Amino acid sequence: MDGPCRRISQFVLKVHSRCDLSCDHCYVYQHADQTWRGRPARMPPATVQGAARRIAEHAREHGLPVVHVVLHGGEPLLLGAAGLREALAELRTTITPWARLDLRMQTNGVLLDDELCRLFVEYDVRVGVSFDGDRVANDRHRVFAHGGSSHDHVRRALALLRRPEYRTSYAGILCTIDVRNDPDRVYEALLAENPPRVDLLLPHATWDHPPQRPGPEPTPYAHWLGRLHRRWVDDGRPMSIRMFEALRPGGGGTEAFGLAPADVLVIEADGAWEQVDSLKTAYHGAAGTGFDVFDHSVDEVARHPGVAVRQDGVDGLCATCRACPVVDRCGGGLYAHRWRTGSDFDNPSVYCADLLRLIDTVDAYPPPTPPAPRQRTAAGSMPREWSATSPVDELLDDLATGPGSTSTLALLAATQFSITRALLAACRDRFGSTAAWELLVHLDQAAPDAVLAVLEHPFVRPGLVHRLDSSALPGLGAAVDPLPALAIAAALRAGVPAALRVPVRAGAITLPTLGNLVLPGLGERAEVTVRPGEVQVRSGSVEQTVLLDPLAPPSTGWLPTRDVSVPGGRLLLEDGDPYRDCYGQPVEPRLEVPAARALGRTLTDAWRVVRRDVPAHAAALDGGLRAVVALAPDPARPLRSATARHAFGAVAVTPHPDPETMAVLLVHEWQHAKLGAVLDLYDLVEPGQGTRIRVPWRPDPRPPEGVLQGVYAHLAVTQVWRSRAATDHPDASAHAAHFLAWTRDGVDALLASRSLTAAGERFVSQLRHALEETHVGSR
């Protein structure tokens, strides 16, 4: 038993080992293992206490941020409301001092009632219901011992969980497929129950007892699932179907797919520790370890050879699987499905041919278009037509999926513009009404589009913030009044003659969105007069007229802004506005023409890469990214990027020639910008937090808001690499797994910190449910 052990974070408690249904595909009662016959029907309270203490001990010793516990059976509802309350209270009391406890239950739903639903809401238990589809499909296997139908009972249970007061406990549906059923009717029956998530399970089988394959079709399970997959994609993915999401490149895997190490232990009703439950389909005693919760710790069980062998990733697979080009996605299939007498588990899955064809089907069918917000049913969220959520919840649920919809991006941009206008009014209130203010008011009435174009510039807000509090952005030097330059820029855009005294910064007059006047001998202020197409400047002995005709040769002293064409429109290369220096790290001075052209080409190509890899994130860029700032090179950190809270609509990057790399930087930083805009609207972190959280991507403990930003950015990067893994992009699968692990660990740590508001808990929980939904066996 020597040697290191893996941390285990998922535990299945068999709180009742008997069942009120007699499903003929159940691995507990109908397959090779019959150890249930010698176990008590109910898990005694002392066993629950022992299990809770062992789990808490393991969480404490290994610093687990989150522990997942699933009440299972048999049928856990046979324990009754009183017995379940006692078990849930023990688990909450014992484990929560050491880790966040994610409580789940898997049930056939027959006994579910209002009293139990209230109990599950009280103890925050998420309930999965076993349901195989329409009446014909469900009653093919899921029947009572007397042969009677369970279909109406299960639908009544699902209707209860959909009620607004119980909806938070609705985890989803577990559906075991049978290729004799009509996949369209099964799909429609599942969709009608509005589940947050569906787990489609292949019926348990081994090489000794292979699955039924009726008819001439050589891969009937792939054919059946392929039909359902096409229907799901054509409908815009109206619900989460875990199998299809897991099989996509970089999908993260499940117990049945992918190469993630095993992370599940089972505690039987008598307190015996067992391996993953599906092993019961292989042979009698296959899941046994010889350990129990009374005398053996989780660490001891984790060192058991049967558990340890499933920690080796691809090295733990047979030679056939190791040589397979899709091994990182299939992962050899479910461990139990590899069993064959004589060679044990050193075989491919008995469903190998079906899995290979299904992966081809998923890859070949056009990638799904992200659904509109009212259709989105990512785990934990609700379609708008039957949800009781607020607009805040809907916005957060939409953004928690990663890119966010076009309407959400438009809302964020509109609120940022409102903040800018409020800062303008604050300057008027603080410093009084000036000629610049009066000109802006006039132009806002006479030429609102011109004022809008100027005020939407990302670096207007930093200038206003600096004017109101110069200590807020210390890197910008002495504060000056930004309103005259704003008003002159708007007048030029509107073609309205105007004259104002404008402050000079560092020998230049900056007209936001237009360019810089750089004339020798300018003092601290200059009289600027504008007429359509020209600017006249007087300051001391300096008097010069600058033509702004874009068709004329560049005028001496006029440095216009430069932009590039990207698939989403025009993108400004901002290298002249002084307020772009708000990122806490040096920015490049005005770029030489060759450097500007090179950066423009890279950005254009990078935008196309984003559109290729993650179209929904490209739409999000289209919806709000207006400017890119070049950061000054740093030999110690050659690849950097940044956003600034007050500069929505802009990101800063170190110029890099590779569009693939630049695409990741753009997506990553735009996530930060979107979340910053959300944090301007809602508190997601409890104010006054002194908490510091350790995360895998930084050596130093981070404040909760920093972890929240990191998790959200890494979510998008994970999605980029998942998409690239569908191609021959080198190391894409490894990168996807790397960022997925970072995101999962960060989400766990953030939720365990108890530093979030209710809205923050909801937002991060959407990420958690998408990344961490665990599959702990089929029923």
Side-chain angles (χ1 to χ4, degrees):
M1 296 299 174
D2 295 333
C5 72
R6 175 179 168 79
R7 301 186 306 171
I8 302 295
S9 67
Q10 303 171 39
F11 300 88
V12 180
L13 268 63
K14 298 297 193 74
V15 295
H16 202 288
S17 66
R18 303 297 188 268
C19 191
D20 46 358
L21 290 183
S22 184
C23 308
D24 61 13
H25 57 13
C26 181
Y27 62 84
V28 175
Y29 306 110
Q30 306 294 339
H31 286 205
D33 186 279
Q34 292 293 299
T35 52
W36 66 273
R37 296 179 182 277
R39 292 192 163 112
R42 299 166 62 94
M43 179 178 281
T47 304
V48 177
Q49 294 167 8
R53 285 196 296 269
R54 288 300 187 188
I55 296 170
E57 171 187 79
H58 188 68
R60 181 181 69 249
E61 292 178 354
H62 291 272
L64 296 180
V66 177
V67 168
H68 310 274
V69 174
V70 182
L71 304 188
H72 212 275
E75 173 47 53
L77 295 186
L78 287 172
L79 198 60
L84 286 168
R85 178 179 290 277
E86 186 177 2
L88 293 170
E90 180 66 35
L91 293 166
R92 284 272 180 225
T93 301
T94 305
I95 298 172
T96 51
W98 307 107
R100 179 183 177 88
L101 178 57
D102 175 28
L103 275 172
R104 309 262 167 157
M105 174 180 287
Q106 189 63 39
T107 175
N108 61 35
V110 168
L111 296 176
L112 194 67
D113 58 18
D114 283 277
E115 181 184 8
L116 287 166
C117 286
R118 288 193 294 270
L119 176 67
F120 298 147
V121 170
E122 178 183 351
Y123 282 91
D124 192 18
V125 181
R126 289 174 56 78
V127 179
V129 178
S130 301
F131 179 61
D132 288 349
D134 62 296
R135 185 179 296 276
V136 171
N138 190 75
D139 290 349
R140 192 183 292 277
H141 301 286
R142 298 191 187 277
V143 295
F144 291 95
H146 53 67
S149 169
S150 69
H151 188 257
D152 291 340
H153 296 77
V154 183
R155 292 207 65 203
R156 178 188 54 80
L158 292 167
L160 270 176
L161 289 171
R162 286 198 306 274
R163 283 165 50 176
E165 62 267 37
Y166 306 141
R167 176 69 195 186
T168 56
S169 289
Y170 189 10
I173 292 174
L174 186 153
C175 172
T176 301
I177 72 169
D178 188 314
V179 294
R180 293 171 294 179
N181 297 327
D182 185 317
D184 288 302
R185 294 186 63 182
V186 169
Y187 170 82
E188 290 162 1
L190 295 174
L191 184 62
E193 303 300 335
N194 293 312
R197 169 161 286 182
V198 170
D199 265 0
L200 295 173
L201 306 178
L202 293 166
H204 285 316
T206 67
W207 289 101
D208 290 357
H209 299 283
Q212 293 184 355
R213 296 186 181 278
E217 170 63 54
T219 53
Y221 293 91
H223 178 75
W224 193 96
L225 288 164
R227 282 182 57 186
L228 197 146
H229 176 265
R230 286 191 294 274
R231 179 74 180 273
W232 177 65
V233 172
D234 290 344
D235 284 355
R237 297 184 301 164
M239 57 188 171
S240 171
I241 299 184
R242 192 165 181 241
M243 175 186 285
F244 300 149
E245 292 162 353
L247 283 176
R248 293 179 64 199
T254 67
E255 181 190 344
F257 306 111
L259 297 172
D263 187 26
V264 180
L265 288 177
V266 177
I267 303 172
E268 288 287 352
D270 60 356
W273 285 111
E274 290 205 338
Q275 303 170 62
V276 63
D277 216 29
S278 56
L279 285 176
K280 294 180 184 296
T281 201
Y283 59 90
H284 183 73
T289 65
F291 301 140
D292 61 58
V293 298
F294 307 108
D295 297 318
H296 303 95
S297 68
V298 177
D299 282 4
E300 290 177 274
V301 187
R303 295 190 186 98
H304 184 277
V307 178
V309 74
R310 300 182 63 213
Q311 315 294 319
D312 295 336
V314 71
D315 293 335
L317 301 178
C318 70
T320 301
C321 290
R322 292 198 300 271
C324 179
V326 296
V327 64
D328 58 328
R329 295 161 67 183
C330 169
L334 191 71
Y335 190 66
H337 295 173
R338 306 173 203 168
W339 171 259
R340 187 200 302 261
T341 301
S343 54
D344 296 342
F345 297 99
D346 191 29
N347 309 287
S349 168
V350 71
Y351 290 103
C352 178
D354 289 278
L355 294 176
L356 185 59
R357 180 179 172 187
L358 180 58
I359 290 171
D360 287 342
T361 298
V362 170
D363 288 350
Y365 204 66
T369 301
R374 67 180 286 108
Q375 299 295 328
R376 197 176 304 279
T377 52
S381 64
M382 300 175 248
R384 193 171 298 180
E385 56 267 26
W386 45 267
S387 77
T389 57
S390 69
V392 175
D393 293 334
E394 292 174 356
L395 182 145
L396 293 177
D397 290 353
D398 183 38
L399 285 171
T401 63
S405 65
T406 302
S407 59
T408 293
L409 266 293
L411 176 61
L412 292 181
T415 57
Q416 290 292 295
F417 181 67
S418 295
I419 292 172
T420 298
R421 295 190 72 107
L423 290 169
L424 269 174
C427 286
R428 189 274 316 272
D429 293 342
R430 171 88 57 91
F431 304 108
S433 181
T434 62
W437 171 263
E438 296 299 332
L439 177 57
L440 278 171
V441 170
H442 168 70
L443 292 172
D444 200 26
Q445 297 172 346
D449 289 345
V451 175
L452 175 66
V454 173
L455 296 187
E456 283 187 333
H457 183 55
F459 301 107
V460 168
R461 179 170 160 186
L464 296 170
V465 169
H466 190 53
R467 171 65 165 159
L468 291 165
D469 181 6
S470 59
S471 65
L473 298 169
L476 295 179
V480 300
D481 183 4
L483 269 63
L486 298 177
I488 288 294
L492 270 171
R493 283 184 165 276
V496 174
L500 289 174
R501 287 183 59 78
V502 180
V504 177
R505 288 178 59 97
I509 298 171
T510 301
L511 304 181
T513 73
L514 297 175
N516 287 287
L517 289 160
V518 182
L519 302 171
L522 290 175
E524 293 184 355
R525 286 182 174 271
E527 185 73 26
V528 178
T529 302
V530 296
R531 302 179 185 87
E534 70 175 41
V535 178
Q536 186 181 66
V537 180
R538 294 189 180 90
S539 177
S541 61
V542 176
E543 183 173 342
Q544 185 165 335
T545 298
V546 178
L547 298 178
L548 304 184
D549 183 352
L551 300 179
S555 300
T556 303
W558 175 241
L559 301 178
T561 55
R562 295 178 288 206
D563 60 13
V564 294
S565 176
V566 295
R570 306 296 297 181
L571 184 65
L572 185 66
L573 297 182
E574 184 55 84
D575 58 358
D577 195 300
Y579 295 110
R580 78 190 188 284
D581 194 6
C582 59
Y583 293 98
Q585 46 189 308
V587 298
E588 283 272 43
R590 183 172 176 86
L591 298 171
E592 298 294 333
V593 172
R597 288 175 177 170
L599 178 57
R601 286 193 297 269
T602 303
L603 290 169
T604 300
D605 292 342
W607 210 287
R608 294 193 182 104
V609 170
V610 177
R611 183 158 289 190
R612 177 200 71 194
D613 291 341
V614 277
H617 280 286
L621 292 175
D622 295 346
L625 184 57
R626 295 187 177 88
V628 169
V629 172
L631 293 174
D634 181 351
R637 298 173 59 206
L639 191 63
R640 291 172 297 129
S641 57
T643 50
R645 183 67 168 269
H646 296 299
F648 181 80
V651 301
V653 297
T654 48
H656 193 283
D658 178 27
E660 303 268 338
T661 300
M662 185 64 75
V664 176
L665 294 180
L666 292 177
V667 170
H668 177 275
E669 292 304 333
W670 192 231
Q671 292 288 99
H672 286 309
K674 289 183 292 182
L675 187 55
V678 170
L679 292 171
D680 280 335
L681 297 174
Y682 314 116
D683 286 328
L684 302 185
V685 175
E686 289 287 357
Q689 281 288 327
T691 305
R692 289 294 184 270
I693 303 170
R694 291 199 174 275
V695 292
W697 60 86
R698 288 285 295 260
D700 53 323
R702 305 292 295 155
E705 185 172 318
V707 178
L708 181 62
Q709 285 279 6
V711 163
Y712 193 53
H714 290 136
L715 169 66
V717 175
T718 303
Q719 291 167 336
V720 172
W721 285 111
R722 281 176 175 174
S723 176
R724 290 182 180 179
T727 69
D728 294 329
H729 197 290
D731 301 322
S733 295
H735 285 305
H738 172 73
F739 282 102
L740 180 63
W742 272 9
T743 311
R744 281 175 168 160
D745 289 350
V747 166
D748 273 351
L750 191 58
L751 289 172
S753 72
R754 297 177 173 85
S755 60
L756 301 174
T757 64
E761 287 269 356
R762 181 186 182 95
F763 180 73
V764 178
S765 291
Q766 302 307 307
L767 305 183
R768 182 189 69 182
H769 295 327
L771 293 164
E772 298 176 357
E773 190 81 3
T774 55
H775 168 51
V776 293
S778 59
R779 296 282 306 285

